[in-house]
Amino acid sequence: MKRNDLFFYFFLFFIFLIHAFLLLNLNFFPYPEIFIYTYLTKIGLLPYAQIMDQHFPGLFFFPVNFATIGFDTVEDYRFLQILLVFFNHVLIYLIGKKIFVSVKKVFFVNLLYLIWQPFFEGYVLWIDSFVVPLFLLSFLLLVNARNKIFYFLAGLVLGIAIVFKQVVAPLVILIWLYLLKTSNEKKDVFWFSLGAFLPGFLMCLYFIHIEVWQDFWYWTVIFNLTVFAELGRKYPSPGEFIKSLMVFGFAFFAPFVLCFRNKLGKEIFLVFVFMIGSLFFAYARFDYVHFQPALPFALMLLVYTFNLILVKKIIFVYLAISLIVVFSSLRFVFGNKVYFFTDHEMTLSKSVRKYALPNEPIFAMATTPHIYYLTNTRPAGNVFVFHFDWFMRIAEDKILDGIKTENPKVILRDSSAEVSGRNLVEYMPRIQEYINSRYTVVDKIGAVDILVPNENSN
């Protein structure tokens, strides 16, 4: 190993250590779905039929899932978050060595990733977090492709990403069109397509086998195109939009200039394709975390932009403004808080255990959806859905039937809970009426009522 190579690896690891240190000093936001979906799957509930959700299964709804392979606590997922970031830095480095002439530019991309990844809700752990290394690995395989094995594996990795989130499909289509236009061997397109198709095909066979295909199709396709498209959209504020342009706006500059000059090479074009395809993640709901899959590719294009400008002062001005924007936003999330695992949730769990034993039915209404995981209980009637209004317009009757079939030992209800300014309980009028007629409030923890069955209820 050359001395220069050793220095480069050390510098890359140093950037990662700073990144890890920063994330470990920010609040941690693991989505509760990560815990509740794997828990309910592990105790035997059927995905989509009993666990109603709009996302593809990822590693939540299969017999082999995060929980069964050993990720089942906050500490496990915090470790996984840092591990994912490590792989992202390594993959960015390997890709950079391929597409940049200067090693300095490779490390500049990694430095920009250190700056901007936490800003785009890098402290959040969600499906998007798991997709990022898959996109980078697929790109690395494509940009180094020498035979059909590379194309097949690149497609296979993206196919696995589709199993995590169906919105990967537009990116796969764009890459398919890119290969169709640029590949000298049309067989390469076939092998890429075969790899991309295989994971989704096996996923469908599995859901047919466990007899939930119709439920899967409804929630992941029909529901998303109808109810969620109408009610679930979230648009950016002017401030959010402007801040996101600091990365993604400038990222469009280089490919358009190079295209105008007729110097847009295959590699930079592929970077652009990956960024555009990844931006579909933020289409339905504008949350910063949904920009994570597109971020590494946008930063590569940003470095190309600086290379075209050739004015070093602009780079220093950009870095200075970036640091101000990033740290002015991150100051609100510095700390050691773990969202959804605060003293409030622990107090609620303790209260539930007074009335319900492990494996007994309870019901959480518009509050703490992972309370079943926290207390080793299960949802009444063995049916579960998040109580967002777009879900409850469809699922309220099924949830109510579960409550009637198996009266829960205790109910938690937050009548003030809102999402996007809409009160959640208002979208569950029949459940609310049934609970009011058969349950009594015995305690209140914060805004959450603790209810138990009336003495005369059956």
Side-chain angles (χ1 to χ4, degrees), residues 31-45 51 57-69 71-73 77 373:
Y31 268 62
E33 287 93 328
I34 295 172
F35 298 92
I36 185 61
Y37 288 162
T38 54
Y39 169 74
L40 293 177
T41 301
K42 190 167 66 172
I43 66 173
L45 272 66
I51 313 169
L59 278 177
F60 300 140
F61 293 141
F62 291 123
V64 177
N65 57 55
F66 284 119
T68 59
I69 64 176
F71 293 96
D72 202 26
T73 66
Y77 284 109
Y373 159 83

Side-chain angles (χ1 to χ4, degrees), residues 96-142:
K97 285 186 66 177
K98 179 67 178 180
I99 66 176
F100 292 111
V101 176
S102 170
V103 178
K104 292 180 181 178
K105 294 173 185 175
V106 178
F107 288 110
F108 191 34
V109 178
N110 272 280
L111 179 62
L112 289 173
Y113 190 66
L114 161 63
I115 293 171
W116 283 108
Q117 191 270 348
F119 172 82
F120 286 100
E121 296 183 343
Y123 54 90
V124 172
L125 187 67
W126 184 222
I127 296 172
D128 312 71
S129 312
F130 303 109
V131 168
V132 179
L134 295 175
F135 282 7
L136 289 170
L137 179 57
S138 179
F139 182 94
L140 184 64
L141 288 165
L142 285 173

Side-chain angles (χ1 to χ4, degrees), residues 368-388:
T368 319
H370 58 308
I371 191 69
Y372 311 101
Y373 159 83
L374 291 171
T375 58
N376 291 315
T377 54
R378 55 186 177 80
N382 286 331
V383 287
F384 174 85
V385 72
F386 274 77
H387 292 170
F388 300 133

Side-chain angles (χ1 to χ4, degrees), residues 62-284:
F62 291 123
V64 177
N65 57 55
F66 284 119
T68 59
I69 64 176
F71 293 96
D72 202 26
T73 66
V74 169
E75 292 75 20
D76 293 334
Y77 284 109
R78 196 73 186 258
F79 169 77
L80 183 58
Q81 177 197 42
I82 302 302
L83 188 63
L84 290 172
V85 169
F86 172 76
F87 282 127
N88 294 343
H89 274 291
V90 171
L91 289 167
I92 290 170
Y93 171 78
L94 294 174
I95 291 169
K97 285 186 66 177
K98 179 67 178 180
I99 66 176
F100 292 111
V101 176
S102 170
V103 178
K104 292 180 181 178
K105 294 173 185 175
V106 178
F107 288 110
F108 191 34
V109 178
N110 272 280
L111 179 62
L112 289 173
Y113 190 66
L114 161 63
I115 293 171
W116 283 108
Q117 191 270 348
F119 172 82
F120 286 100
E121 296 183 343
Y123 54 90
V124 172
L125 187 67
W126 184 222
I127 296 172
D128 312 71
S129 312
F130 303 109
V131 168
V132 179
L134 295 175
F135 282 7
L136 289 170
L137 179 57
S138 179
F139 182 94
L140 184 64
L141 288 165
L142 285 173
V143 84
N144 286 288
R146 294 189 295 272
N147 54 48
K148 62 185 180 182
I149 302 295
F150 282 82
Y151 288 101
F152 175 78
L153 291 177
L156 185 67
V157 171
L158 283 180
I160 293 171
I162 289 179
V163 173
F164 274 87
K165 206 166 187 178
Q166 54 267 54
V167 77
V168 176
L171 172 60
V172 173
I173 294 171
L174 289 176
I175 296 173
W176 185 83
L177 293 172
Y178 165 85
L179 292 176
L180 203 62
K181 180 177 177 59
T182 61
S183 179
N184 295 324
E185 293 286 340
K186 299 310 176 186
K187 290 181 179 179
D188 297 339
V189 182
F190 167 78
W191 287 107
F192 172 83
S193 304
L194 179 62
F197 170 77
L198 189 58
F201 176 70
L202 295 176
M203 172 187 70
C204 293
L205 285 183
Y206 173 71
F207 290 133
I208 291 171
H209 172 69
I210 63 173
E211 300 180 348
V212 299
W213 170 254
Q214 289 185 339
D215 301 285
F216 167 76
W217 179 258
Y218 174 78
W219 285 109
T220 61
V221 179
I222 304 301
F223 174 82
N224 279 325
L225 295 176
T226 54
V227 179
F228 184 75
E230 176 188 353
L231 297 174
R233 291 195 180 279
K234 181 182 177 184
Y235 298 98
S237 69
E240 289 174 328
F241 183 74
I242 291 171
K243 290 176 181 177
S244 64
L245 286 179
M246 287 192 64
V247 172
F248 293 95
F250 286 115
F252 280 89
F253 182 83
F256 279 113
V257 169
L258 291 170
C259 184
F260 181 76
R261 295 178 180 177
N262 200 27
K263 295 181 179 179
L264 184 62
K266 290 174 61 176
E267 292 173 350
I268 187 66
F269 185 33
L270 184 59
V271 175
F272 184 66
V273 168
F274 264 83
M275 186 190 75
I276 293 296
S278 302
L279 285 175
F280 279 93
F281 275 64
Y283 170 70

